Amino acid sequence: MALFFAKRYPHLIKSVTLSGITPEKPGNWSELHRQDVDMQKGLLENQEACQYFDGLHRSDWRKLIQLGWDEDWYPFQETESFKDIDSPILYMVGEGQSAERNGALYYADKDVRIAVIPFAAHLVHSEQPQVYSLVLKEFLSRVDGL
């Protein structure tokens, strides 16, 4: 959401921090997508998990998951470029998420600050909250110093 907002309203932002995005469609996208859908369907069949998520969310979270079952759901056309954003950008990923980790190489030459966080995967902010917070704090302090 931050990327969509920053591209459409660049005059309203001072910086952008991104995590959990992939810039290019991986060659094995169909297989990765199938694995995700299988996992999500298993989740929806798990009554205990569904009760847990029902308690967390007021909205119909099941419908959101089902939207991702379309193989073309991912907005690669948005994630492939940050050209409309003039503000500083931080891209943080966990080392365990290969497509996102590859994004660090993809974005590295595009004037983007890169942080690959060890011992984390897609949910880097919750898997390594202290490291994530330290990197984010340093980035924001430098943005404030500009």
Side-chain angles (χ1 to χ4, degrees), residues 60 66 70 73 94 106 119 123-124 136 140:
D60 187 0
Q66 291 168 346
D70 178 349
W73 75 272
Y106 179 90
F119 310 109
L123 298 176
V124 64
L136 181 58
L140 293 175

Side-chain angles (χ1 to χ4, degrees), residues 20-38:
I21 66 170
T22 303
E24 298 178 298
K25 185 183 255 188
N28 62 342
W29 177 251
S30 292
E31 175 62 20
L32 293 172
H33 181 261
R34 187 193 58 73
Q35 290 172 5
D36 281 348
V37 169
D38 289 347

Side-chain angles (χ1 to χ4, degrees), residues 40-57 61-62 65:
Q40 292 162 357
K41 287 180 178 180
L43 172 73
L44 292 176
E45 293 170 1
N46 182 322
Q47 222 176 16
E48 186 177 325
C50 287
Q51 288 175 344
Y52 173 76
F53 287 112
D54 285 342
L56 288 179
H57 304 287
W61 61 271
R62 289 171 183 85
I65 286 178

Side-chain angles (χ1 to χ4, degrees), residues 7-101:
K7 284 184 160 194
R8 285 152 183 80
Y9 307 100
H11 59 287
L12 296 177
I13 63 167
K14 189 170 184 178
S15 67
V16 181
T17 300
L18 301 168
S19 181
I21 66 170
T22 303
E24 298 178 298
K25 185 183 255 188
N28 62 342
W29 177 251
S30 292
E31 175 62 20
L32 293 172
H33 181 261
R34 187 193 58 73
Q35 290 172 5
D36 281 348
V37 169
D38 289 347
M39 183 271 306
Q40 292 162 357
K41 287 180 178 180
L43 172 73
L44 292 176
E45 293 170 1
N46 182 322
Q47 222 176 16
E48 186 177 325
C50 287
Q51 288 175 344
Y52 173 76
F53 287 112
D54 285 342
L56 288 179
H57 304 287
R58 293 182 185 156
S59 64
D60 187 0
W61 61 271
R62 289 171 183 85
K63 188 171 190 128
L64 179 63
I65 286 178
Q66 291 168 346
L67 289 174
W69 292 355
D70 178 349
E71 190 172 332
D72 295 323
W73 75 272
Y74 198 87
F76 291 108
Q77 69 282 1
E78 295 286 337
T79 60
E80 71 183 355
S81 169
F82 302 152
K83 69 178 177 165
D84 298 328
I85 303 171
D86 293 328
S87 301
I89 300 171
L90 171 62
Y91 179 69
M92 289 203 283
V93 297
E95 69 176 352
Q97 190 71 17
S98 63
E100 294 171 20
R101 188 180 62 239

